[in-house]
Amino acid sequence: MATSKKSKTLVVIVGPTAIGKTALAIHVAQHFKTEIVSADSRQFFREMEIGTAKPDGNELSAAKHHFINSHSVKEFFSTGDFEQSALKVIDGIFQEHDIAIMVGGSGLYINALINGLDEMPEIDLAIRAKLNHQFETEGLESIQNQLKAYDPEYFDKVDQNNPQRMIRGLEVFLSTGEKLSSMLSATKKERPFNIIKIGLNTDRALLYNRINERVDKMMESGLVDEVKSLIEYKNLNALNTVGYSEIFDFMDGKISLDEAISAIKQNTRRFAKRQLTWFRRDEEINWFEPNEKQAVISLIAQNIGV
């Protein structure tokens, strides 16, 4: 990377939820005096604060962040929208700085920014309508089982509790006979900047303990009240996500609050495991423990030749 003629560098920080990506990104941004682009598909939405574990006020003031509270849950913001918007933001950062930081755990969004998205095929709207009806009448599990059979690679990569993602994979296969997983990065787009990939990971037991503590903190911070305030939006895709769907089930009387909390912890641990499965496939990622901040700084400095 250091031998490339490209003069600008994007540092991409990835890893599972609750691992400490935000703290590292701020440390790196302050060291290199630059700005941060968030690639967390849930932190875009300004109505979702507690359950998405956004950077707090002190963290947001410690370094300039982009794509935090940038959209409403009522807006549709696709992976392709993020690719185009984030490239413009990063270009703007590069007008003032040689380095930009991107941080997040949403593999699809990070992949879109780094590698680009292929043109997506036309979808048979009748198939989409049929799948939406299937979801409403038979539940998410029937969609999950079908997608797992047709496109297990895509099924393993994405949030399996997200109906839109599940339906999207299934409608592509049923419309075209081809797997969505084979289309996501078949052709890698050339970007006009260097990319350094940093991954955070730690002992599984430690990570799961961090996740459990974070969920407990969310509950103490008023997650139930936040979800109650969003009840009119409960059918929107943005709210069909870990930390919100379980509280909606509690509010609907399907489970107790203790069961909801346990389900959030379990589903978040499963999500973290899928995130790690996704990122471990990328051989360009340099892996560190969350506390190895200085080693990360040294690696970046070595790559950019400072």
Side-chain angles (χ1 to χ4, degrees):
M1 278 175 271
T3 59
S4 170
K5 294 180 180 178
K6 299 172 186 175
S7 62
K8 306 295 183 178
T9 300
L10 177 68
V11 176
V12 182
I13 298 173
V14 301
T17 187
I19 193 71
K21 297 185 296 295
T22 296
L24 176 62
I26 291 170
H27 184 79
V28 174
Q30 288 182 327
H31 181 88
F32 291 103
K33 298 180 173 56
T34 189
E35 301 171 17
I36 296 170
V37 174
S38 173
D40 186 308
S41 62
R42 307 187 323 154
Q43 292 183 356
F44 303 146
F45 301 116
R46 62 182 71 99
E47 296 91 345
M48 300 166 66
E49 191 74 28
I50 298 170
T52 59
K54 284 177 187 167
D56 61 27
N58 290 333
E59 290 170 323
L60 289 173
S61 62
K64 184 172 181 178
H65 287 68
H66 300 268
F67 297 102
I68 301 286
N69 297 327
S70 55
H71 291 74
S72 167
V73 292
K74 294 175 281 186
E75 297 176 64
F76 181 72
F77 189 60
S78 70
T79 319
D81 293 331
F82 175 74
E83 177 193 3
Q84 297 305 315
S85 299
L87 283 171
K88 289 178 184 176
V89 167
I90 289 168
D91 183 58
I93 295 172
F94 284 151
Q95 302 302 314
E96 304 289 333
H97 310 280
D98 289 334
I99 290 177
I101 315 297
M102 184 167 75
V103 60
S106 299
L108 282 172
Y109 286 79
I110 291 164
N111 183 68
L113 191 286
I114 292 174
N115 297 322
L117 290 172
D118 290 345
E119 290 296 318
M120 288 292 110
E122 288 291 321
I123 297 302
D124 185 332
L125 296 181
I127 288 176
R128 177 175 292 173
K130 183 179 178 182
L131 290 172
N132 283 323
H133 179 72
Q134 180 181 334
F135 169 58
E136 290 169 10
T137 56
E138 300 176 30
L140 183 58
E141 189 175 357
S142 70
I143 302 289
Q144 291 170 327
N145 290 338
Q146 219 174 331
L147 178 60
K148 188 175 184 179
Y150 290 140
D151 191 349
E153 295 86 2
Y154 178 78
F155 179 83
D156 286 340
K157 284 180 179 178
V158 298
D159 181 356
Q160 292 157 10
N161 292 314
N162 186 319
Q164 188 184 47
R165 294 265 189 267
M166 295 289 100
I167 290 171
R168 179 62 173 156
L170 199 47
E171 70 182 11
V172 167
F173 181 82
L174 294 176
S175 294
T176 68
E178 296 182 27
K179 298 178 180 180
L180 180 53
S181 59
S182 68
M183 304 176 187
L184 288 176
S185 51
T187 55
K188 186 174 180 178
K189 294 181 184 175
E190 183 68 20
R191 298 305 191 196
F193 45 79
N194 299 309
I195 297 171
I196 301 172
K197 300 176 184 178
I198 306 294
L200 292 185
N201 195 14
T202 192
D203 177 74
R204 183 68 57 88
L206 282 174
L207 175 60
Y208 285 0
N209 189 51
R210 281 184 179 221
I211 288 170
N212 292 341
E213 288 178 354
R214 173 180 278 186
V215 174
D216 288 337
K217 185 178 178 182
M218 287 176 179
M219 297 306 298
E220 292 168 10
S221 300
L223 180 60
V224 173
D225 287 336
E226 176 171 277
V227 177
K228 282 181 181 175
S229 73
L230 295 170
I231 196 159
E232 66 180 297
Y233 306 125
K234 70 175 291 187
N235 293 320
L236 295 180
N237 177 60
L239 274 299
N240 281 313
T241 186
V242 177
Y244 291 84
S245 55
E246 297 90 349
I247 300 296
F248 283 131
D249 283 346
F250 158 66
M251 291 166 59
D252 290 340
K254 296 177 182 177
I255 55 176
S256 69
L257 184 56
D258 284 344
E259 288 170 332
I261 296 168
S262 294
I264 294 171
K265 291 177 179 178
Q266 183 181 52
N267 289 333
T268 306
R269 291 194 298 266
R270 287 173 176 166
F271 178 52
K273 191 175 180 181
R274 290 197 300 275
Q275 288 175 303
L276 282 168
T277 298
W278 173 291
F279 293 126
R280 280 184 180 135
R281 293 178 180 142
D282 189 339
E283 295 179 356
E284 295 178 355
I285 293 177
N286 302 278
W287 290 98
F288 294 89
E289 287 277 338
N291 60 357
E292 294 184 295
K293 292 185 176 69
Q294 196 51 49
V296 171
I297 295 289
S298 298
L299 177 82
I300 295 167
Q302 180 183 346
N303 273 277
I304 64 175
V306 298

